[in-house]
Amino acid sequence: MAGERKYISAEELKQHDKPGICSSGWGYPLLNLAGQDVTDAFIAYHPGTAWQYLDKFFTGYYLKDFKVSEVSKDFRKLANEFSKLGLFEKKGHGILYTCSIIGFLFMVCIYGVLCVDSFWVHLGCAALLGFLWIQSSYLGHDSGHYQIMSSPGFNKLAQMLIGNCITGISIAWWKWTHNAHHIACNSLDYDPDLQHIPVFAVSSSLFDSINSVFYGRILKFDSVARFFVSYQHWTYYPVMCVARINLFLQTLLLFFEYYGICVFWTWYPLLVSCLPNWGERVMFVIVSMAVTSIQHIQFTLNHFSANVYVGPPCGNDWFEKQTSGTIYISCSTWMDWFHGGLQFQLEHHLFPRLPRCHLRSISPLVKDLCKKHNLPYRSLSFWEANVSTIRTLRTAALQARDLTNPVPKNLVWEAANIHG
């Protein structure tokens, strides 16, 4: 009969998950959720206007035995209400204020280095530069999730200036890894934000040398990794002080946005070279990097001590996976600028396109939804989150020291654990 609908079952849909649907790295999130209903993820990532473009991808088959869960229904209803209220378009004046602060701090740093001879002023400028990088990263994060400027072209320009030129971090690299993180939140083998072997391991599951689906390689837990992980609760804060170097290296190694990155690696070394001696130059670099450790700590607090799992993300329980893998950092309203809105981690993960100025106002609604469906909404103070993270790292560290789980030995490991 003409016009008769064709159906497939949920089990048949699962077979449509083979590589080749998306051949580039940019299709990584799509591949992770292939063969599933991804309505919730699509709603989270796209405006309502995006639905009109799906028709050309329609295969002609409908899903016949799929039932939408009650929590998904409530999530979609909440997203629809936010859309009707225009919250996704109302960005407030925070972007203008942040841009002004970044520009002002940048000029102060240049003036302090070029026009003042005081050693302490130079160190103060280094600290201001580190703080400038933090605020720029928050703004770059916003621009990667939603349009912070008046047009897509200006938004792209802002990303290049804020990300590549000012911070030296590729916005394309960040989008690549960050979208994967959102889709596979706290999956040990799919989420790149938890794949820090050989330096950190948040779970003993990483001791099995699991395969990183994101990087396409084995996260090898060898004797070197065991040595570092065994002391990770002690090295956590020192490593955070130099964590920005890792971002620089990944930008240079994994992407080719050299036109913007070259701007950063022109002005920053030139600024450092204007300092009077090598001692001050080294201190300037160390301080500017160390200040950004605050942000790296913030990033890890939101996820390191949350629940983790092994395996691909499931589009059918989008809301549940986000609640399980995130931690809310409670703070006063006047401290929102310090966290860049990312203290509302669950709210951000559920509605990544929502401007940060609205995250506090929707937080009670998200809490109520979690309570209604008996889902976790873990809230910790900044201090408590630090304690919880160190406790998680210490637990894994002590498990790594268990010599009943052998790995290939080397002299470093044996020397560090010799008894006599």
Side-chain angles (χ1 to χ4, degrees):
M1 181 185 299
E4 183 179 355
R5 287 192 172 191
K6 296 180 291 183
Y7 291 90
I8 61 172
S9 67
E11 287 302 315
E12 290 173 316
L13 177 63
K14 290 179 182 178
Q15 305 305 313
H16 296 262
D17 63 347
K18 304 298 185 292
I21 311 171
C22 305
S23 59
S24 69
W26 299 104
Y28 171 85
L30 295 178
L31 274 176
N32 281 353
L33 296 174
Q36 307 177 52
D37 174 72
V38 294
T39 305
D40 291 346
F42 189 86
I43 289 173
Y45 263 90
H46 300 86
T49 54
W51 288 91
Q52 61 183 310
Y53 300 106
L54 295 182
D55 287 343
K56 63 181 180 180
F57 300 108
F58 182 52
T59 63
Y61 287 90
Y62 294 85
L63 197 58
K64 65 180 179 182
D65 56 355
F66 181 77
K67 185 178 180 180
V68 179
S69 68
E70 293 302 314
V71 65
S72 285
K73 290 179 182 178
D74 285 342
F75 167 71
R76 296 173 191 183
K77 186 184 301 181
L78 199 58
N80 187 49
E81 288 299 319
F82 294 163
S83 182
K84 287 181 178 178
L85 292 172
L87 297 186
F88 294 106
E89 286 73 41
K90 297 176 181 177
K91 303 174 179 64
H93 300 292
I95 304 299
L96 177 62
Y97 297 152
T98 304
C99 288
S100 300
I101 291 172
I102 290 172
F104 174 74
L105 291 178
F106 192 65
M107 297 307 296
V108 169
C109 290
I110 293 176
Y111 178 83
V113 170
L114 299 181
C115 303
V116 181
D117 294 329
S118 171
F119 168 77
W120 296 108
V121 170
H122 292 163
L123 284 192
C125 289
L128 286 179
L129 183 59
F131 179 72
L132 179 158
W133 284 339
I134 291 175
Q135 293 303 313
S136 296
S137 296
Y138 287 143
L139 205 56
H141 173 268
D142 292 344
S143 71
H145 277 298
Y146 57 89
Q147 187 174 304
I148 65 173
M149 308 306 262
S150 58
S151 70
F154 282 122
N155 196 67
K156 178 65 176 177
L157 178 62
Q159 290 175 345
M160 291 297 301
L161 291 176
I162 295 166
N164 298 21
C165 298
I166 293 182
T167 68
I169 299 172
S170 166
I171 190 68
W173 166 82
W174 176 85
K175 287 181 181 179
W176 182 52
T177 59
H178 196 66
N179 284 331
H181 159 67
H182 268 259
I183 294 296
C185 180
N186 274 35
S187 168
L188 293 176
D189 47 344
Y190 281 77
D191 183 354
D193 283 9
L194 292 186
Q195 298 174 357
H196 301 298
I197 294 290
V199 182
F200 294 130
V202 298
S203 168
S204 58
S205 296
L206 289 165
F207 301 167
D208 296 328
S209 295
I210 64 176
N211 178 54
S212 168
V213 178
F214 181 81
Y215 290 114
R217 59 178 174 83
I218 298 296
L219 301 174
K220 191 175 181 181
F221 187 74
D222 54 16
S223 54
V224 174
R226 170 170 277 183
F227 174 76
F228 284 120
V229 169
S230 294
Y231 301 96
Q232 63 181 356
H233 53 304
W234 294 108
T235 61
Y236 171 68
Y237 292 112
V239 169
M240 291 298 105
C241 288
V242 294
R244 199 164 195 85
I245 296 175
N246 176 54
L247 302 186
F248 290 150
L249 290 175
Q250 294 202 54
T251 289
L252 295 173
L253 293 175
L254 298 178
F255 272 91
F256 299 92
E257 289 183 322
Y258 292 134
Y259 42 92
I261 303 303
C262 284
V263 173
F264 172 82
W265 288 109
T266 298
W267 74 258
Y268 183 56
L270 278 176
L271 184 66
V272 173
S273 69
C274 292
L275 292 166
N277 56 68
W278 276 105
E280 287 197 27
R281 291 167 190 160
V282 172
M283 286 300 298
F284 187 93
V285 171
I286 291 174
V287 171
S288 62
M289 298 286 182
V291 168
T292 63
S293 66
I294 298 171
Q295 187 173 61
H296 295 293
I297 290 170
Q298 289 173 321
F299 291 157
T300 55
L301 296 185
N302 290 133
H303 296 286
F304 268 24
S305 62
N307 296 330
V308 299
Y309 65 99
V310 176
C314 182
N316 302 341
D317 59 359
W318 169 263
F319 194 99
E320 293 92 324
K321 277 291 189 289
Q322 304 302 331
T323 59
S324 177
T326 56
I327 294 175
Y328 164 61
I329 310 299
S330 60
C331 69
S332 302
T333 305
W334 65 274
M335 282 295 289
D336 285 353
W337 65 271
F338 178 76
H339 295 280
L342 296 184
Q343 73 273 35
F344 300 104
Q345 192 65 195
L346 175 56
E347 291 80 0
H348 169 61
H349 267 253
L350 291 174
F351 306 101
R353 294 188 303 107
L354 193 69
R356 70 167 103 154
C357 58
H358 301 305
L359 294 177
R360 183 173 288 276
S361 63
I362 72 161
S363 181
L365 301 176
V366 174
K367 288 180 183 178
D368 290 342
L369 195 55
C370 290
K371 185 176 181 181
K372 176 182 177 181
H373 295 283
N374 196 30
L375 293 171
Y377 187 96
R378 193 176 175 193
S379 175
L380 301 174
S381 69
F382 186 75
W383 171 258
E384 291 170 338
N386 274 270
V387 172
S388 180
T389 297
I390 294 299
R391 185 182 295 120
T392 297
L393 294 175
R394 182 177 183 274
T395 298
L398 295 180
Q399 292 172 334
R401 295 181 188 182
D402 183 3
L403 297 181
T404 61
N405 296 319
V407 295
K409 296 180 180 180
N410 67 7
L411 293 178
V412 175
W413 172 254
E414 292 187 353
N417 291 276
I418 192 168
H419 298 280

